[in-house]
Amino acid sequence: QVQLVESGGGSVQAGGSLRLSCAASGYTYSPRCMAWFRQAPGKEREGVARIYTRDGSTYYGDSVKGRFTISQDNAKNTVYLQMNSLKPEDSAMYYCAARNAIGCARVSWTEFSYWGQGTQVTVSS
């Protein structure tokens, strides 16, 4: 059973930066796809960034391209989300998710099997 633990959320002013971490454990074979999603109150869950762990290919939502970077540290079984130039509209609960099945770039959040507990990001203007 894959377990995901997020950390690194917090409050920051617009234009600032945060780095989220997602530590994965409990698996025999590392998940093929790791992703970050976010959900603000009253809004649908939104895909932020994904990484295909086998070759490091990355994919981003349009609203974060050029500002956010997803990366992995295989030695630490950890995925990171570096968030720069943060905007108030980036405020949300951020969730780490993992998927073992084939497919990463366009898979709906409903197809991810494992989820972390979430970490809150709040950006003030």
Side-chain angles (χ1 to χ4, degrees):
Q1 182 77 0
V2 177
Q3 294 180 326
L4 305 174
V5 179
E6 303 107 330
S7 61
S11 297
V12 65
Q13 288 192 328
S17 299
L18 284 172
R19 188 177 80 156
L20 306 184
S21 300
C22 174
S25 62
Y27 52 81
T28 302
Y29 300 100
S30 64
R32 283 191 173 90
C33 181
M34 300 286 292
W36 288 95
F37 293 85
R38 67 187 182 187
Q39 189 165 20
K43 294 190 176 182
E44 293 188 357
R45 191 163 296 191
E46 175 189 9
V48 175
R50 305 153 189 246
I51 185 165
Y52 181 63
T53 63
R54 299 298 189 262
D55 65 6
S57 296
T58 57
Y59 312 92
Y60 296 94
D62 289 340
S63 62
V64 306
K65 282 180 182 176
R67 300 188 298 122
F68 290 12
T69 303
I70 188 171
S71 61
Q72 60 180 354
D73 184 332
N74 293 330
K76 296 182 179 180
N77 299 325
T78 299
V79 171
Y80 303 98
L81 183 68
Q82 179 65 44
M83 305 185 294
N84 297 330
S85 302
L86 282 161
K87 305 175 181 180
E89 51 263 44
D90 293 318
S91 297
M93 185 71 78
Y94 283 69
Y95 297 93
C96 177
R99 171 181 165 83
N100 290 324
I102 293 173
C104 191
R106 297 180 179 84
V107 177
S108 166
W109 68 266
T110 60
E111 310 251 1
F112 281 77
S113 303
Y114 307 102
W115 291 85
Q117 80 285 355
T119 186
Q120 179 68 40
V121 171
T122 302
V123 184
S124 58
S125 57

